[in-house]
Amino acid sequence: MAEGLGDIRLRDFAPVSMMSAAVTSVTAPAAPIVDVHNHLGRRNTGVWRVPDPDALIATMDESGVATIVNLDGEWAGELEANLDRYDRRYPGRFVTFARVDWTDTSTPGWGDRMAASLRDSVRRGAAGLKLWKDIGLRVRDERSELIFLDDPRLEPLWEALAESGVPALIHTADPVAFFQPLDRHNERLEELLRHPDWHFHGPEFPPLQRLLDAFESVVAGHPQVRFIGAHVGCLAENLDWVEEMLDRCPNYRVDLAARIAELGRQPRRTRALIERHPDRVLLGTDCAPPDVEDYRMYLRFLASSDEAFAYSSSEIPPTGRWTISGLGLPDDLAALVEGDNARAFIPALATASPGS
């Protein structure tokens, strides 16, 4: 044995696969792409995620992307800034979802105020609502108690969504491993060491199941509202659970954003889910801002039958040290996922240009 190799650290181990496998370059989508999950605003930083929108349009044209959904619309003046920068400047190429102010929960009546904020945002031109994982994990009410999605005080917000017809894209919880002990058995250990604020295990956090139960209760209990479950319904590790929600709730869709690492290690199960619900799965990337290679990776995953390929160009993959395999979807199914399903479900996209 070469001197010192017996003491090499796992973090420094970077094996190169010796397997000979197909490499398919998929550069053209089966239908003009709608990326239903992206972030183009200046949320929390004050700096636009996309410094040059014209350059992003060029990337979209090269990638076959018709429209990107911007989830960073916020409300009031910041919503107007996003609409001016994207939707109004490039008609049909962007639609922006609003948010509501979760810092405004320290006094009673916040549910009614959120409903009023959503109605105002829709009047201004917002195409939907984005709700984030801080609901249930960090946001507290006037009694300093955690607020969950199934809180009755949110009923006015669901009523406003039903009246407006715009969808709510919801990210609740996070990968299962983020709720497990941080030890040598945790498959996301490296990722959580890089991002300790993503670890939600401990008495200060609710169990994962509580968050999922609240999410499922809201979707099932409000059939008149259009819902999109971010990140494969927030539970890409358990597609049986995802499929059960799709079976029960015709008002429900899921996006693929930032979860091809999970789906690509169960390609047969993932394809079966899409085949069972061909009109219910939407392409999203959560690559902010995206580049051409991001979209080509998603197209390769959807359309090719390639095996054991990297899901990231990073030397240390961001999610876990594994590879993925493609779904090999036929063109008709790929077209639905890549764009047609989103155009059928998000009303603002019905008037957007289908071409890129």
Side-chain angles (χ1 to χ4, degrees):
M1 180 182 295
E3 184 176 353
L5 283 182
D7 298 321
I8 193 169
R9 297 179 301 178
L10 179 59
R11 73 180 66 177
D12 297 324
F13 181 52
V16 176
S17 175
M18 297 292 101
M19 187 177 71
S20 177
V23 178
T24 303
S25 177
V26 184
T27 60
I33 292 170
V34 176
D35 182 350
V36 303
H37 190 134
N38 220 303
H39 300 276
L40 310 180
R42 50 188 177 185
R43 178 175 171 79
N44 297 329
T45 67
V47 178
W48 292 105
R49 289 281 193 106
V50 176
D52 183 355
D54 287 337
L56 177 56
I57 289 290
T59 294
M60 294 166 65
D61 289 345
E62 184 177 353
S63 306
V65 178
T67 309
I68 290 178
V69 176
N70 170 28
L71 301 177
D72 291 346
E74 304 295 310
W75 56 89
E78 187 64 16
L79 173 61
E80 291 287 346
N82 276 268
L83 293 171
D84 284 344
R85 185 176 178 84
Y86 298 112
D87 304 41
R88 294 165 182 155
R89 183 176 173 187
Y90 307 96
R93 306 307 301 273
F94 301 99
V95 297
T96 293
F97 279 29
R99 301 201 187 208
V100 289
D101 186 3
W102 289 95
T103 67
D104 184 32
T105 57
S106 60
T107 56
W110 45 265
D112 291 318
R113 293 193 294 274
M114 288 180 180
S117 175
L118 174 68
R119 291 189 176 97
D120 178 70
S121 293
V122 173
R123 283 193 296 268
R124 293 173 186 269
L129 174 69
K130 168 66 187 298
L131 298 175
W132 195 50
K133 65 183 180 183
D134 52 354
I135 308 163
L137 287 173
R138 302 194 188 279
V139 177
R140 295 182 181 272
D141 66 8
E142 62 271 23
R143 299 186 297 272
S144 295
E145 296 178 355
L146 284 171
I147 298 170
F148 294 91
L149 286 170
D150 59 356
D151 192 303
R153 291 169 291 183
L154 282 174
E155 283 303 316
L157 183 61
W158 310 132
E159 291 172 6
L161 279 164
E163 292 169 8
S164 69
V166 302
L169 189 148
I170 299 180
H171 172 182
T172 193
D174 246 344
V176 175
F178 290 13
F179 291 82
Q180 300 296 311
L182 196 61
D183 58 23
R184 65 189 182 93
H185 300 295
N186 193 309
E187 68 174 358
R188 309 288 279 266
L189 176 62
E190 286 183 289
E191 183 180 20
L192 290 171
L193 290 176
R194 292 192 299 268
H195 303 282
D197 56 318
W198 293 358
H199 190 226
F200 305 118
H201 177 76
E204 67 271 35
F205 297 110
L208 172 61
Q209 194 60 51
R210 173 68 182 94
L211 300 169
L212 296 173
D213 288 346
F215 177 50
E216 183 175 16
S217 174
V218 164
V219 174
H222 298 85
Q224 72 279 28
V225 178
R226 300 170 189 243
F227 289 102
I228 302 170
H231 309 300
V232 197
C234 309
L235 197 62
E237 301 91 336
N238 186 345
L239 295 186
D240 290 347
W241 187 86
V242 174
E243 189 165 86
E244 287 173 5
M245 272 195 70
L246 291 170
D247 288 343
R248 290 179 55 206
C249 305
N251 58 321
Y252 182 53
R253 306 291 187 272
V254 299
D255 77 38
L256 303 180
R259 293 296 183 270
I260 62 172
E262 299 294 352
L263 300 177
R265 55 178 178 164
Q266 47 180 334
R268 290 184 292 275
R269 181 66 185 88
T270 299
R271 177 165 170 159
L273 174 73
I274 294 172
E275 290 173 339
R276 181 177 175 86
H277 293 288
D279 59 337
R280 312 286 288 282
V281 180
L282 316 177
L283 175 62
T285 66
D286 205 15
C287 299
D291 60 33
V292 174
E293 292 308 312
D294 292 325
Y295 288 115
R296 289 181 178 174
M297 175 64 73
Y298 274 81
L299 294 182
R300 182 186 184 190
F301 168 67
L302 290 170
S304 85
S305 297
D306 292 358
E307 296 182 308
F309 58 92
Y311 63 86
S312 169
S313 59
S314 300
E315 182 177 359
I316 299 176
T319 295
R321 291 177 181 251
W322 57 75
T323 58
I324 66 172
S325 297
L327 304 184
L329 296 181
D331 284 351
D332 58 340
L333 287 183
L336 291 172
V337 174
E338 290 166 6
D340 291 347
N341 286 342
R343 279 183 281 271
F345 191 67
I346 300 175
L349 294 177
T351 57
S353 170
S356 59

